[in-house]
Amino acid sequence: MRFRFCGDLDCPDWVLAEMSTLARMSSVKMKLLCVQVIKDLLDEGIDYDKVSKLTSDAKFESGDIKASIAVLSFILSSAAKHDVDSDSLSSELQQLGLPKEHTTGLCKSYEDKHSALQEKLREISLRLGRLEAVNWRVDYTLSSSELKQVNEPTVQLKLQAQDPETDSTQTTVVTITADKFRVLLTVNR
Amino acid sequence: MLLVLSEEHKEHLGFLSEVDPAVVGEFGRIAVEFLKKGSNPKIYEGAARKLNVSSESVQHGVEGLMYLLTESSKLMISEVDFQDSVLVLGFSEELNQLLLQLYLENRKEIRQILGKLAPSLPHYHNLEWRLDVQLASRALRHQVKPTVTLKLHLEDGAKRSARVLQTDPATLQHLIHELERALAELKSSHCRRILRNIK
C-alpha cells in the first residue's frame, strides 16, 4: 500500500501499530497533543508536564507516551516533507485505522502550521560552511623596503565561515591587489 | 565457578560482620549507587561518624562490596556459587542472604554498565543528506551534474564529530548495493551455522 505522506512508499510497521495507541486517547486530548508536538518540531520547546497530564486519562505508560509523540512527529514532519495537502493526509490516516475525529483534529493542526513546518524543515536542511560575516578594508601602500614609491591600493578581506565538519567559526584573512580584486568582481557579476 | 577473594578483600569485608545487618543493607545500596553514578567520599565520613568507626574502614567496606558485586556480575556466577564464595568470609546466615539478594537484584544493571566500558569505535549518530545539481561553473556553462552531499554524524563516548562526504548518484547506488550484499551475508548458511552454535 503506497501512501503519499510516506513519500509514495509503504507505511512503516511501527506507525501502523501505534495507531491503536493514539485511538485510546480522546480526540480533543489528541488535538492538544498535536499542538505540543508541532511546537517541538518548530523548536519552541515541548511541555512534558502538559503532555503527561493529557495522557494520564488514557492511562498511558511512559513507553506509550514516547510512542505517541514519536508517531505524531513522524506523521507531521513526513507530511510536510512531501508537501501533502490535508485532505489526502486525512483520507490516508483513516485508511490506516485512525478514527475520523482524531484525523480531523490532526489535519486541522497540520493545515494551520503547514507553511511554518516547511520553513523550519528548509532551515535545518544540510548546509555546509555558511558564510557568517565579511569585513573589508582598503589600504594604500606608500613605500616598502623593496621600493621607495609603491602607491598601490590593496583590499583586505576578513571572511568568517562555519567549518562544515566541526561547526565552529573559522576566520580567513586575504589581501588582494586592486587588479585581482577587479577580476574577482567582474567574473562574479 | 567460585569467586576467589584476596586476603586484603576479605579483611575489608570483615568489617561488615561487625555492624548491624541493616547497616550492611544500607552499605549495599550505597555501593550500587556508586556503581551507577560514581563515588562520593562525603558519604563515607557521614556514615563513619554515625557508626563511630574510621571513615577508612567504611570506605573499604563499601568498596569491597562494590568489587564483590562487579566480579560476581562479570562472571555471571549462579546463586549457589555466590553463596559458597561468600561462605568463606564467615558471615552470619542473615548477612549471606542479604548479600545474595543484593547480587540478584542488581546483576542485570551492573552487567549493562560493565558492557559500556568496553573500548569502542565511533558509531553512527545521524546522517543528513542533500541532492544538488550543478548547472554551470566559471569554466563551463549549461551543465547538468547531480551530486549527493552527505554529513555523517558520529558519536564516540561523549565526543561528537561529523564527516562531510560527496558522491555522484552512480557511486551511491554501488555503495548501497555493496552494503546490501554485506547484510545478505548474515543470511548465508555459514553465518547461520555459527550463530546457531553461539546461541
Side-chain angles (χ1 to χ4, degrees):
Chain A
M1 270 255 44
R2 286 168 189 276
F3 289 96
R4 270 189 62 194
F5 83 94
C6 297
D8 286 334
L9 295 171
D10 283 330
C11 178
D13 292 331
W14 65 272
V15 173
L16 208 51
E18 293 308 324
M19 287 293 164
S20 50
T21 319
L22 283 181
R24 274 161 55 192
M25 274 200 286
S26 76
S27 61
V28 175
K29 295 255 161 60
M30 206 197 84
K31 175 129 184 352
L32 293 169
L33 187 59
C34 279
V35 169
Q36 287 294 322
V37 169
I38 292 184
K39 274 171 81 175
D40 183 42
L41 286 173
L42 292 173
D43 264 345
E44 286 165 19
I46 184 170
D47 191 351
Y48 283 111
D49 292 326
K50 257 197 210 146
V51 170
S52 48
K53 254 184 263 172
L54 289 170
T55 55
S56 59
D57 281 354
K59 294 199 189 40
F60 274 14
E61 301 167 340
S62 75
D64 293 330
I65 302 180
K66 285 185 210 167
S68 45
I69 296 182
V71 76
L72 285 174
S73 299
F74 174 79
I75 294 177
L76 291 163
S77 57
S78 187
K81 186 186 340 187
H82 296 109
D83 203 15
V84 181
D85 61 285
S86 72
D87 290 328
S88 328
L89 183 64
S90 157
S91 66
E92 286 182 352
L93 287 176
Q94 287 188 44
Q95 273 178 47
L96 284 174
L98 195 62
K100 188 156 187 344
E101 309 83 50
H102 295 72
T103 315
T104 16
L106 201 158
C107 291
K108 183 86 182 26
S109 314
Y110 171 66
E111 208 174 316
D112 290 338
K113 293 283 181 162
H114 174 99
S115 31
L117 274 172
Q118 286 190 328
E119 259 314 301
K120 184 80 185 117
L121 291 172
R122 192 166 299 140
E123 256 175 63
I124 61 174
S125 292
L126 179 60
R127 272 182 70 184
L128 302 168
R130 274 172 225 242
L131 186 61
E132 292 187 352
V134 179
N135 293 321
W136 59 265
R137 188 176 89 186
V138 174
D139 292 329
Y140 194 79
T141 316
L142 294 169
S143 78
S144 75
S145 53
E146 314 290 311
L147 187 61
K148 186 144 179 235
Q149 290 251 338
V150 180
N151 294 336
E152 276 284 319
T154 52
V155 179
Q156 287 211 19
L157 275 180
K158 185 163 103 161
L159 302 163
Q160 280 172 319
Q162 199 190 37
D163 181 44
E165 298 199 352
T166 59
D167 280 345
S168 59
T169 314
Q170 300 277 22
T171 309
T172 325
V173 182
V174 239
T175 309
I176 321 180
T177 60
D179 290 333
K180 263 245 149 53
F181 193 62
R182 250 176 244 126
V183 172
L184 185 69
L185 283 184
T186 35
V187 165
N188 287 326
R189 189 144 295 159
Chain B
M1 186 201 294
L2 277 185
L3 207 56
V4 179
L5 306 169
S6 71
E7 281 311 312
E8 196 184 341
H9 193 190
K10 286 188 211 166
E11 214 181 287
H12 291 172
L13 288 173
F15 164 67
L16 292 176
S17 56
E18 296 165 18
V19 293
D20 276 341
V23 178
V24 178
E26 185 63 20
F27 279 2
R29 201 191 50 81
I30 297 177
V32 174
E33 270 304 302
F34 283 4
L35 281 173
K36 284 188 217 172
K37 298 195 186 133
S39 62
N40 185 358
K42 290 188 225 152
I43 300 198
Y44 295 142
E45 288 165 26
R49 248 178 290 130
K50 262 191 277 177
L51 294 166
N52 232 350
V53 290
S54 73
S55 84
E56 207 182 311
S57 352
V58 176
Q59 183 176 4
H60 285 165
V62 175
E63 284 177 2
L65 267 178
M66 279 165 74
Y67 187 67
L68 180 67
L69 286 171
T70 44
E71 284 297 294
S72 338
S73 308
K74 175 166 86 173
L75 300 166
M76 197 69 178
I77 56 181
S78 63
E79 280 183 44
V80 179
D81 287 337
F82 184 82
Q83 280 179 310
D84 289 337
S85 321
V86 165
L87 222 59
V88 161
L89 297 164
F91 288 162
S92 66
E93 187 53 37
E94 194 187 344
L95 212 57
N96 285 349
Q97 278 304 316
L98 204 86
L99 288 173
L100 183 65
Q101 276 309 102
L102 199 66
Y103 167 57
L104 289 174
E105 279 166 19
N106 293 299
R107 170 161 68 172
K108 198 164 151 209
E109 212 171 334
I110 296 179
R111 277 182 75 83
Q112 268 183 351
I113 299 174
L114 290 174
K116 290 190 199 144
L117 290 176
S120 70
L121 295 167
H123 54 262
Y124 170 85
H125 175 70
N126 191 14
L127 178 68
E128 293 178 74
W129 60 266
R130 183 177 92 184
L131 176 63
D132 295 319
V133 175
Q134 183 174 310
L135 298 172
S137 70
R138 180 175 173 180
L140 182 65
R141 310 293 158 86
H142 302 300
Q143 299 173 12
V144 178
K145 206 161 82 158
T147 45
V148 179
T149 313
L150 305 161
K151 189 165 171 186
L152 179 65
H153 293 261
L154 299 167
E155 192 173 345
D156 187 7
K159 263 193 309 179
R160 295 266 174 94
S161 59
R163 312 250 330 142
V164 177
L165 306 160
Q166 199 174 56
T167 173
D168 57 277
T171 317
L172 187 61
Q173 288 277 33
H174 177 71
L175 196 65
I176 295 175
H177 183 66
E178 285 300 321
L179 290 173
E180 282 178 347
R181 274 178 62 184
L183 272 181
E185 189 63 29
L186 262 179
K187 301 199 183 98
S188 72
S189 54
H190 179 71
C191 274
R192 278 219 214 104
R193 232 179 294 140
I194 295 181
L195 288 173
R196 237 178 298 154
N197 285 327
I198 293 179
K199 284 208 195 95

